[in-house]
Structure formats: C-alpha cells, structure tokens
Amino acid sequence: MSRLTEAPTLIASAQRALRLLEAAARHPSGATAKQLARDTGLALGTTYHLLRTLVHDRYLERREGRYRTGPAVSGLTGRNGPEGPAPGPSRPGGLDGLLGRIAHQLSAAVHFARYKDGEVDLVAAAPAPAPPPPTRGASGPGRTPTRPGRPCWP
C-alpha cells in the first residue's frame, strides 16, 4: 500500500483535546467541566485531565468553575479574543515576535513550518538580522590609521 493511500495515524488524545477546545469555544461565557463532558461525549475523568492540560498550556482559562478559550487560542488564529488583540508581527508576543527573537540570537533566518497531508506549509519566518556595518577608517585587522590615507605600519 502506498503512503498516499494509507489511512493517517491519528492520536486519539489529541482529537479528544481538540473536541474539548471546540466545545469550550461554543460557550463564550464559559462552561463547566460536566457541560463540556456532555457536549463531547467524554468521560468526566478524561475531561478533567484534558482540561487541566489545556489550562496549563493557556488554550483554556478557568474562572469561577467555568472554562473558556484562553490567550493561546487567539495566538493560533490571529483573531481578537476576550483578552484583546492576538499577538502579531507588530506586537512583542506571538509567533512572529518569538521567531524574531530567535533569529536575532542566532544571527540567522528562522522558519516555522508544519507538515500536513504530505505537504510542508510555511507558517511564519523571520529574516536574519543585518550584519553590523564595518568600522570606519580601518585599514587592516585591528588597525586604525593615525592619519587619513596613511597606513599604520612603519
């Protein structure tokens, strides 16, 4: 069987977590764990374990016993969420800001891509920072002329 005709390998726990995330997004004012378990058909214990993980990673927030989408969801979609605008290229947070900081630290271009259905999809990129300009007046390695136009050696 060729790779293109094989059924994809699916991770059931990831599917369950995404179903919970989708269910929470349908409740803008938040939903209880029991409500989310009913909405998704998941066992309550499984729901609590997944909710704890999603809250820890900021995909969901828990306020007054209710779960609603968190800031990490806004960062994924690039849309405004309940906390205001999502981090983007002009803001210090978000993927663009992170890639820019990494590019600066490495002095190299950085790319973020994802692999989906046999295709590599470029999500974001940050160019390499510009090299520092050469120092003015240098006529050799570590030499500075004493007078313009005259070499430093005898």
Side-chain angles (χ1 to χ4, degrees):
M1 195 183 254
S2 78
R3 178 80 178 125
L4 294 177
T5 59
E6 291 179 12
T9 302
L10 304 176
I11 308 297
S13 59
Q15 289 178 312
R16 289 190 293 265
L18 291 171
R19 285 194 342 236
L20 268 176
L21 197 53
E22 290 170 344
R26 288 191 295 267
H27 297 277
S29 60
T32 64
K34 288 182 182 182
Q35 178 65 49
L36 293 171
R38 278 193 302 270
D39 289 356
T40 58
L42 297 173
L44 188 56
T46 301
T47 300
Y48 276 115
H49 286 292
L50 291 171
L51 287 173
R52 184 173 41 243
T53 301
L54 291 168
V55 167
H56 177 269
D57 291 336
R58 302 182 66 209
Y59 290 103
L60 292 178
E61 292 179 327
R62 183 172 186 253
R63 292 187 197 154
E64 300 171 7
R66 302 179 78 76
Y67 296 88
R68 60 184 53 87
T69 56
V73 171
S74 298
L76 289 174
T77 63
R79 296 186 199 133
N80 291 344
E83 301 300 317
S90 62
R91 295 183 246 343
L95 183 58
D96 293 322
L98 174 64
L99 293 180
R101 289 190 301 277
I102 293 171
H104 179 74
Q105 288 175 349
L106 297 177
S107 297
V110 178
H111 298 85
F112 182 79
R114 65 177 163 213
Y115 181 80
K116 183 179 178 186
D117 299 327
E119 298 287 328
V120 176
D121 191 22
L122 181 64
V123 176
T135 57
R136 291 178 36 163
S139 59
R143 296 180 184 226
T144 305
T146 54
R147 288 187 266 166
R150 299 199 138 216
C152 293
W153 54 89

